[in-house]
Amino acid sequence: MDFDRRQVTCPQGETSAGWHGPYPTSSPTAAPLIIARFTKSQCRPCPVRTRCTTTADSARSVGFPPRELRDLQLRVRAEQQTPQWQTRYAVRSGVEGTVNELAHGHGMRHCRYRGRHKAHLQHVFTAIAANIERLSRRPPTGESPPSRPPTAFQNYLDQHGITRPRSWRSARD
C-alpha cells in the first residue's frame, strides 16, 4: 500500500487502477475503509487469480483502513508479540473464560429482577454459585485435579496423528 501515491501493488506486481474513499462503514463504531480496485484486464490473465479473487467479473477490490489507523493497527500487532503483552493478556484470557461461563452458562445476560440493588444481588449470588460449582469439582486435598476432556478439535487432531501442544499459547513461533 502506498498512501502517498494512492495505489496498491498486488503480489504479482500489478498496480491498482483506482483508489476511493475513505468510506464510512455500516457500523457506527467501525473504522472507515479505503477501497483500491484492480481492473479486469489486470486480473483475468493472472496465473494466481483463483487464489486472489472469486468475484464474477474477475477483478479484485481491496479494503483497508486510512493510514493513521493502519499504522496504529501494525504497531499494536507488533506489540502483541512481546512477552510483556502476552503475560498481561494471559490474565485477561482467564477472566474472559469466567465471564463467558457466567453469561452463557448461568444466564447473566438478562436480569431476573428490576432495580440496581436486586440486579447486583443476582450477580453476587450467581458468582457464589459458580464458585461453589467449581469447588465441588475439585478433588480432595493431595490429589491432582483430573484433566479436562478433550475438545472435538483436539480429538480430530489426535485421530489424524497431528501433534498438539499442551497449551496453544506455546504454539506461536
Side-chain angles (χ1 to χ4, degrees), residues 75-144:
R75 193 171 68 244
V76 167
R77 285 181 181 167
E79 181 186 328
Q80 289 174 349
Q81 302 307 313
T82 64
Q84 297 86 4
W85 187 92
Q86 291 178 1
T87 302
R88 283 193 334 259
Y89 188 77
V91 173
R92 177 179 174 175
S93 66
V95 171
E96 291 289 337
T98 301
V99 169
N100 185 47
E101 178 189 348
L102 292 172
H104 295 137
H106 300 287
M108 292 295 291
R109 293 228 187 268
H110 302 284
C111 236
R112 297 172 185 262
Y113 308 102
R114 290 180 186 228
R116 196 172 52 138
H117 299 294
K118 290 179 185 175
H120 175 70
L121 280 176
Q122 178 189 346
H123 293 154
V124 170
F125 290 148
T126 304
I128 291 170
N131 285 336
I132 290 171
E133 184 180 342
R134 285 180 176 181
L135 287 171
S136 71
R137 283 186 263 149
R138 292 192 65 142
T141 350
E143 294 180 22
S144 62

Side-chain angles (χ1 to χ4, degrees), residues 10-32:
C10 82
Q12 299 299 312
E14 293 290 333
T15 304
S16 62
W19 177 288
H20 309 281
Y23 295 118
T25 55
S26 58
S27 170
T29 58

Side-chain angles (χ1 to χ4, degrees), residues 1 20 41 57 67 72 89 103 151 164:
M1 283 178 259
H20 309 281
S41 61
D57 65 358
R67 177 183 285 180
L72 175 64
Y89 188 77
T151 64
R164 56 182 169 95

